[in-house]
Amino acid sequence: MAQKLDLKQAKKAISALYKYKENNDSSNNLLDSDEENGIYVQVSTHKVMNKAQVKRKRVPLPHRPYPEDIEICYFTKDDEKVVEEKVKSGNVTMIKKVISTRTLGTVYKAYEARRKLLASYDLFMVDDRVSHIILNLLGTKFVQRNKAPIAIKGSGSLKQQVEKALNATYVKLNNGVLTRVLIGNFGMSEKEVLKNYEAAVPEIVKIAAHEWGQVQMICIQALKSPLLPIYTAFPKQD
């Protein structure tokens, strides 16, 4: 396992990625989106291993892969003002907008309103009591942009539930051979990204490839960077 993870090579690749980012930053890099500042692991398999699924699988990480200034929109079953007060009293500062399913089905019914909503927030979360209907209200664009809301428990401490969701990454299965997963951002240290790589890759392999023998390549990349290979393997001989 350690040999396949190849932490020494991963460390070199992460360092090279940071250098690439530094050398290619423009003067307006502060305007880069969270997606552009993200660091991703890409796992490719020798053959298609899964059917596409909307629901993503959660992988806990030692360090939060999202930026500190992330802005979240939270969908709830309850009255918006009640939840807004809960957000305020609980000091859940990363939630910037609360929208009830009732409002979502009326105010945001029009395609243009939902398109603007999609572009307005970095991440979306939803009370798990209504997670089964949320995509019907939001439409397919949220899935295509990999912004389908993360379901969290609506009961108990909202801040704890949000923190738990943020201290993880999410694997979306598709019917192809490539799986790309967020493991960090350039606001983190290289050491933190490496720790997240070490924790995430074995779980991603289990979910996307099912076994190491089906893994063809593991790479790391940013949105606009070249792929930096860490591990490659030939197909198993029958």
Side-chain angles (χ1 to χ4, degrees), residues 85-101:
E85 181 56 37
K86 192 175 180 180
V87 168
K88 185 178 179 181
S89 62
N91 195 32
V92 194
T93 56
M94 59 283 286
I95 292 183
K96 304 300 183 182
K97 183 72 172 177
V98 175
I99 301 175
S100 69
T101 49

Side-chain angles (χ1 to χ4, degrees), residues 35 56 115 118-119 140-148:
E35 188 177 9
R56 293 172 292 178
R115 186 189 68 79
L118 174 64
T140 58
K141 283 291 183 183
F142 279 73
V143 177
Q144 292 171 2
R145 289 285 306 276
N146 203 28
K147 281 192 171 184

Side-chain angles (χ1 to χ4, degrees), residues 46 212-213 215-217 231-235:
H46 295 297
W212 274 97
V215 176
Q216 181 182 46
M217 184 178 291
Y231 169 82
T232 57
F234 292 108

Side-chain angles (χ1 to χ4, degrees), residues 89-176:
S89 62
N91 195 32
V92 194
T93 56
M94 59 283 286
I95 292 183
K96 304 300 183 182
K97 183 72 172 177
V98 175
I99 301 175
S100 69
T101 49
R102 183 175 181 178
T103 300
L104 192 58
T106 53
V107 176
Y108 294 93
K109 187 175 182 180
Y111 172 80
E112 183 62 19
R114 284 184 278 119
R115 186 189 68 79
K116 288 181 179 178
L117 178 64
L118 174 64
S120 297
Y121 299 95
D122 305 313
L123 198 65
F124 295 86
M125 294 188 183
V126 59
D127 185 328
D128 62 356
R129 294 174 297 171
V130 290
S131 61
H132 61 291
I133 64 168
I134 199 68
L135 288 179
N136 290 334
L137 295 171
L138 290 173
T140 58
K141 283 291 183 183
F142 279 73
V143 177
Q144 292 171 2
R145 289 285 306 276
N146 203 28
K147 281 192 171 184
I150 299 167
I152 63 174
K153 290 187 181 296
S155 58
S157 169
L158 183 58
K159 186 170 186 176
Q160 285 182 5
Q161 292 300 323
V162 171
E163 292 283 357
K164 181 180 177 182
L166 289 176
N167 288 328
T169 192
Y170 297 85
V171 182
K172 183 178 181 295
L173 294 177
N174 57 70
N175 54 5

